[in-house]
Amino acid sequence: MNYMDHSATTKPRKEVLDTFIKVNENYYGNPASIHEMGVEANALLERARSQIATMLGTENHKVIFTSGGTESNHFSITGIAKGLKSRGSHIITSKIEHPSVLESVKQLENEGFEIDYLEVNKDGIVSIEDLRKKLRKDTVLVSVMHINNEIGSIQPIAELAEHVKKNSRAIFHVDAIQSFGKYSVDFNSLGVDVLSLSGHKINGLKGTGIVAWRPELTFFPVLVGGGQEYGLRSGTVAVPQAVSLAKAMRLTSENLGHAHSQYGKWSTELREFLSEFPSIKIISPSDGAVHILSFSVKNIKGEVLINALQTRGIIVSTSSACSSRQVKTSHVIEALKIADDYKKGVLRISFGYGMEDQQIQDFKYHFKEIMKQLKGE
């Protein structure tokens, strides 16, 4: 099978699976227990936390483990907003955020918070000027994703964060789920206050993720109970998942340079190939993420193209995997103001670890055959 949908999820690396199994077999004690098995499990947990904190440029006790990207985004947004409600109740985000961000701010809006949405240009990029106009004295949170999961637009996070810091007391949160392992992601390079990451996007396990933040920040606890994870996310911590996530992050970071170069080569090759078809519009910006390439075929439904490719052993997706089963047009595509005759035919190709050059050649051959059948091109 030619899998080209790595932005939806990835296959766990063998090293990650081996780590997960080993920890489950040998260190299954509750890390909160004071007996020897608990102490050993806790030592592993804290070592994983320390490794992740070092990679991201923060302190150990400013990293907590979650069940994945959705929870990390929800925890960050809700925890910050509620924790700072005495300071203000205004939140800024963009129109093309992941649903886990957009639905979280909608919940807060029902609780009395006021939400402003940044517009995007044709490339899916927000503007500093729009942020300047919407930033207020009572703004407590700005949340903008680093790389869009549907079209790969890269936001100028460092510039946005600098403007927020100079002109407000707001906390800047970034969803870096699609960028870690492909671009530099840490507090020094991005200049943000809070980061959300997910394991299954970087050949880790589903059900793993983290929230990390700068040392001076505090959160409102979203999940209460036994006081685990510094009282911010109660519940017995899944040590095998935490350790395997640290492993996945280390392996992904070590491969970053090679991956970026390889994905850039494939992206350029496919852009040149797709531009030969009169009925295709490339949606991903030319200076966007190298591992995501979205395009649309005029007056053809994306589902038709996906099924046609799948019969030939090629797996791609329509926009976001989170919304691909829905009939309505993606909110990202709507925000970009894509022409009606292209809205339904959006496909997303996304590269990842383990792919080879031959997969690109196979896609080109089979896609050309499909286009001959469907469009006569």
Side-chain angles (χ1 to χ4, degrees):
M1 190 66 71
N2 185 351
Y3 184 74
M4 304 177 75
D5 194 20
H6 293 263
S7 285
T9 195
T10 58
K11 180 181 179 179
R13 294 200 195 200
K14 184 180 184 304
E15 303 96 315
V16 173
L17 289 172
D18 288 345
T19 296
F20 176 73
I21 292 170
K22 181 179 178 180
V23 177
N24 264 307
E25 288 178 340
N26 300 302
Y27 301 94
Y28 53 86
N30 188 325
S33 298
I34 62 173
H35 53 62
E36 183 179 357
M37 290 182 66
V39 171
E40 289 177 344
N42 188 64
L44 269 184
L45 175 66
E46 293 310 314
R47 188 185 308 164
R49 197 190 309 275
S50 177
Q51 290 169 348
I52 292 171
T54 299
M55 279 186 271
L56 298 178
T58 189
E59 298 176 0
N60 296 6
H61 60 289
K62 301 301 180 182
V63 173
I64 67 163
F65 294 97
T66 71
S67 63
T70 291
E71 185 192 342
S72 291
N73 282 336
H74 178 75
F75 173 90
S76 299
I77 290 166
T78 305
I80 293 168
K82 290 187 175 181
L84 296 177
K85 194 166 186 180
S86 61
R87 187 189 296 178
S89 58
H90 181 237
I91 297 171
I92 298 174
T93 189
S94 86
K95 286 191 171 183
I96 63 167
E97 296 300 304
H98 189 271
S100 60
V101 170
L102 296 177
E103 292 303 314
S104 292
V105 298
K106 283 181 183 178
Q107 277 192 348
L108 289 169
E109 188 173 29
N110 292 334
E111 297 177 25
F113 285 85
E114 186 178 351
I115 316 298
D116 265 326
Y117 296 90
L118 300 173
E119 301 285 345
V120 295
N121 63 16
K122 64 180 179 61
D123 292 327
I125 306 296
V126 303
S127 76
I128 300 290
E129 181 61 21
D130 193 22
L131 176 63
R132 185 192 68 77
K133 290 178 180 178
K134 288 170 179 171
L135 203 60
R136 304 184 337 202
K137 289 182 178 180
D138 63 337
T139 305
V140 292
L141 172 66
V142 176
S143 181
V144 179
M145 69 194 327
H146 190 191
I147 291 178
N148 183 265
N149 55 301
E150 295 192 31
I151 64 169
S153 52
I154 306 174
Q155 301 296 348
I157 295 296
E159 294 177 56
L160 295 169
E162 183 179 7
H163 185 80
V164 169
K165 281 181 172 50
K166 284 184 177 179
N167 297 282
S168 75
R169 298 169 64 197
I171 302 302
F172 197 111
H173 164 256
V174 63
D175 170 351
I177 291 164
Q178 289 290 345
S179 54
F180 187 86
K182 289 88 174 176
Y183 292 82
S184 180
V185 173
D186 58 62
F187 288 103
N188 290 328
S189 63
L190 295 180
V192 298
D193 299 304
V194 186
L195 288 168
S196 295
L197 299 178
S198 174
H200 79 103
K201 306 292 188 181
I202 55 171
N203 304 100
L205 302 179
K206 293 174 181 64
T208 62
I210 59 127
V211 176
W213 61 96
R214 290 185 182 275
E216 62 271 17
L217 298 184
T218 57
F219 286 80
F220 180 88
V222 176
L223 194 61
V224 295
Q228 293 90 341
E229 294 295 87
Y230 309 109
L232 297 174
R233 185 184 184 267
S234 292
T236 301
V237 182
V239 178
Q241 283 90 325
V243 177
S244 66
L245 175 58
K247 182 84 167 185
M249 290 177 66
R250 290 199 310 274
L251 292 172
T252 302
S253 296
E254 290 168 0
N255 193 51
L256 190 152
H258 173 73
H260 192 277
S261 174
Q262 189 67 70
Y263 302 160
K265 172 191 166 187
W266 291 337
S267 180
T268 299
E269 183 175 348
L270 285 183
R271 281 178 179 274
E272 292 174 354
F273 168 72
L274 293 169
S275 65
E276 298 173 1
F277 296 92
S279 61
I280 286 182
K281 175 183 178 63
I282 296 177
I283 298 172
S284 293
S286 57
D287 58 352
V290 293
H291 61 294
I292 296 175
L293 181 58
S294 289
F295 62 96
S296 182
V297 181
K298 188 175 183 179
N299 293 325
I300 295 286
K301 287 186 177 181
E303 291 82 358
V304 172
L305 294 166
I306 281 181
N307 290 333
L309 286 165
Q310 186 169 267
T311 61
R312 294 167 178 258
I314 298 171
I315 304 298
V316 298
S317 69
T318 57
S319 60
S320 163
C322 302
S323 59
S324 59
R325 293 181 182 274
Q326 299 177 11
V327 177
K328 66 179 183 179
T329 304
S330 154
H331 68 286
V332 175
I333 299 303
E334 291 288 1
L336 294 176
K337 298 178 173 60
I338 300 294
D340 288 343
D341 47 4
Y342 283 99
K343 281 184 179 180
K344 300 296 184 182
V346 179
L347 289 189
R348 180 187 68 183
I349 298 171
S350 48
F351 312 131
Y353 174 78
M355 281 188 64
E356 299 176 349
D357 286 329
Q358 187 58 47
Q359 291 177 252
I360 305 301
Q361 306 314 314
D362 289 346
F363 171 84
K364 289 165 63 177
Y365 172 79
H366 290 293
F367 187 79
K368 192 169 185 177
E369 292 296 306
I370 290 168
M371 288 296 287
K372 283 181 183 177
Q373 294 173 7
L374 295 178
K375 302 288 287 185
E377 295 180 3

